[in-house]
Amino acid sequence: MSGNDTHDNATTKLRNLAEVLLDAARRAGADQADALAIRGHSISIDVRGGALEHADSADGTEIGLRVLVGGRQACVSGSDHDQATIDAMASRAVAMAREAPVDDMLGLADPDQLGPRRDAQGLQIADDLPDPTPAGLQDMALRTEAATLSQPGISQVEAANASFSRRQLWIAASNGFSGGYERSTHVISAVAITGEGLGMERDYAAESRVWASDLPQPEEIGRLAAERTLARAGSRKPPTGAFPILFDRRVSASLIGHLLGAVNGAAVARGASWLRDALDQPMLPAGMDLIEDPLKPRYPASRPFDAEGLETRSRAIVRDGILQGWTLDLATGRKLGMASTGSAARGLTSAPSPTISNIALTSGRQSRDDLIADMGRGLVVTSMLGASINDTTGDYSRGAAGFWVENGQIAYPVNECTIAGNLRDMLMTLRAANDALPWRTAEVPSLLVEGMTVAGA
């Protein structure tokens, strides 16, 4: 049997499962229902000391059902696909929904709201080459580890990994929508260590792609992990005070992530967003755009339709610094008196909620080194841990590590410090470098923020 035949058979089985779930929901008394069937396959290989340390493989098909009864909803899931189990799932879901609180904003899309697409043709979000074998993944992990250890000063490789996953899904709903697609992911990573005892430092490198042919070579990833780790040797605490901070492109997407969280319609509808009153107001410096594009070929978060069957499309979240709109699914859009932005996502056991696909922030004209030179004295952040973010005020505090800058040049590595500020003030002072990398869910360059607080020594 050919690979295409295998794929077609799996797709047919998923579609049939989703339709069987809908039929069971109708018989159980649901007013409306949608069903999700997912088939997944994954392999993960870890090596250490030139030998296999751990191998993990998973295969399975799971199903999820959401039912709506009189403005109430409930979700159930399972991995058993026989008719008796599906009937029991549907009955349980309807019984649960009848006990849930009423929400008049709930409901499937009207048929005329549904998008025209039913597959991901043209998006290239599934590698069309044969899946990698465990032996092939182990070879890549070993090459990654060897390249890391080849750099003088690396004492050990904590982990070297190569992994692959392929997932097919099908969504069907009682409003007539029925569609599905497939997605693949290839990953190579390494974590390296230098020094010993209290002087030990670690760092990592990792790359993920939809297509194996787009991945960097394992040796490149291993050398980068070593380079980053060696640069951290001799880390110490920075001074305390108010300084400019450069968020390296490794972490700058997290800063934009806080903005994306605050424009999520679910947070806005609850009043739990520090941007709840900021629509049509400046949010980023003039000239800066933040664009979502779920239709970029070969990108990790691309998708032809959302979890409610609505068409996905490119849109500006911020245009020329001005906040353009919220990220909405059907229910949050109804609560806010707006149309869905085609942003619904859902899991097997959860109802739809708004989410973001691929985003890109306008890059600047200066290099990262140019921005460091302009800083004079301050902090370059390359990693963060922990977070204290006030959803209502936007007050921001995080643990950080990176490099201290003196006279416009990196002077020494730093760790064990805290950075703090207010997100709205921080975002309005952004200066972007020109170093954003492709293939990421978030293409965000290094970002310079003026006047944050650093708590170090």
Side-chain angles (χ1 to χ4, degrees):
M1 182 179 291
S2 71
N4 285 337
D5 289 339
T6 301
H7 173 270
D8 291 343
N9 288 340
T11 299
T12 299
K13 289 179 180 178
L14 293 178
R15 182 175 64 242
N16 290 342
L17 273 174
E19 291 171 353
V20 168
L21 282 163
L22 291 183
D23 289 341
R26 294 187 189 100
R27 291 195 302 271
D31 298 333
Q32 297 179 312
D34 54 22
L36 179 63
I38 298 176
R39 178 180 183 267
H41 165 66
S42 64
I43 308 173
S44 181
I45 302 292
D46 292 302
V47 301
R48 191 169 185 178
L52 175 67
E53 182 177 57
H54 180 74
D56 183 72
S57 178
D59 289 275
T61 300
E62 295 186 289
I63 52 177
L65 175 67
R66 177 175 67 128
V67 300
L68 295 102
V69 182
R72 300 171 169 91
Q73 73 177 358
C75 299
V76 294
S77 68
S79 56
D80 192 345
H81 314 140
D82 68 75
Q83 189 64 56
T85 301
I86 288 175
D87 289 341
M89 280 179 58
S91 296
R92 185 170 75 253
V94 169
M96 291 167 58
R98 287 174 173 153
E99 300 300 320
V102 173
D103 184 343
D104 292 332
M105 300 297 110
L106 298 176
L108 304 185
D110 295 332
D112 60 2
Q113 291 179 288
L114 299 174
R117 301 189 66 168
R118 297 294 184 268
D119 59 39
Q121 185 174 358
L123 286 184
Q124 302 179 58
I125 55 175
D127 198 332
D128 62 5
L129 294 178
D131 295 354
T133 63
L137 290 172
Q138 183 171 333
D139 177 67
M140 286 193 290
L142 288 170
R143 288 164 58 192
T144 305
E145 182 188 47
T148 309
L149 288 170
S150 70
Q151 306 304 303
I154 296 298
S155 56
Q156 60 179 296
V157 175
E158 184 176 279
N161 172 273
S163 60
F164 168 79
S165 67
R166 186 181 294 274
R167 190 179 75 154
Q168 295 166 291
L169 66 83
W170 197 273
I171 301 173
S174 58
N175 58 7
F177 183 84
S178 186
Y181 54 88
E182 182 179 39
R183 188 186 303 281
S184 62
T185 305
H186 301 260
V187 181
I188 302 176
S189 64
V191 180
I193 295 174
T194 187
E196 297 178 353
L198 295 178
M200 183 182 294
E201 294 290 341
R202 62 166 49 81
D203 212 323
Y204 75 96
E207 293 289 343
S208 173
R209 300 286 190 275
V210 171
W211 286 61
S213 58
D214 294 331
L215 268 175
Q217 291 298 306
E219 290 79 8
E220 182 181 343
I221 296 169
R223 286 191 293 268
L224 180 58
E227 176 186 312
R228 288 173 170 173
T229 300
L230 294 170
R232 301 220 40 77
S235 292
R236 58 188 192 266
K237 291 184 178 182
T240 292
F243 302 100
I245 292 180
L246 182 79
F247 288 78
D248 184 82
R249 66 187 180 191
R250 296 174 64 188
V251 297
S252 57
S254 69
L255 191 58
I256 299 304
H258 294 303
L259 187 160
L260 296 172
V263 302
N264 186 291
V268 176
R270 293 195 310 269
S273 169
W274 47 276
L275 291 179
R276 59 193 177 277
D277 299 319
L279 199 60
D280 299 322
Q281 295 183 20
M283 181 45 47
L284 296 173
M288 194 170 280
D289 298 337
L290 182 62
I291 306 297
E292 179 188 20
D293 187 358
L295 300 175
K296 296 177 76 170
R298 298 169 87 109
Y299 266 65
S302 294
R303 54 182 182 159
F305 48 80
D306 78 350
E308 295 177 307
L310 275 62
E311 185 175 12
T312 57
R313 62 188 186 276
S314 176
R315 66 186 181 101
I317 298 170
V318 177
R319 176 75 74 185
D320 193 21
I322 305 298
L323 181 61
Q324 301 295 300
W326 314 122
T327 301
L328 304 169
D329 62 2
L330 285 170
T332 55
R334 291 165 184 148
K335 290 174 183 177
L336 295 170
M338 299 177 176
S340 169
T341 53
S343 302
R346 64 162 294 188
L348 290 163
T349 59
S350 60
S353 60
T355 192
I356 290 289
S357 296
N358 312 304
I359 62 104
L361 182 71
T362 303
S363 290
R365 297 182 178 180
Q366 293 180 285
S367 69
R368 176 180 181 272
D369 288 345
D370 291 336
L371 293 183
I372 289 174
D374 289 348
M375 288 172 68
R377 189 171 192 239
L379 178 66
V380 175
V381 175
T382 58
S383 65
M384 293 187 286
L385 60 129
S388 175
I389 312 297
N390 187 308
D391 293 334
T392 303
T393 65
D395 289 336
Y396 172 99
S397 178
R398 295 202 66 176
F403 299 91
W404 188 250
V405 174
E406 290 283 357
N407 300 316
Q409 294 184 331
I410 288 177
Y412 54 85
V414 299
N415 58 15
E416 297 182 9
C417 67
T418 301
I419 57 176
N422 180 272
L423 283 165
R424 191 147 190 187
D425 296 337
M426 292 160 58
L427 292 170
M428 285 302 298
T429 70
L430 290 185
R431 290 174 58 191
N434 61 1
D435 61 347
L437 293 172
W439 307 116
R440 273 73 178 162
T441 301
E443 289 189 14
V444 179
S446 297
L447 297 172
L448 179 61
V449 178
E450 299 291 342
M452 291 183 66
T453 299
V454 178

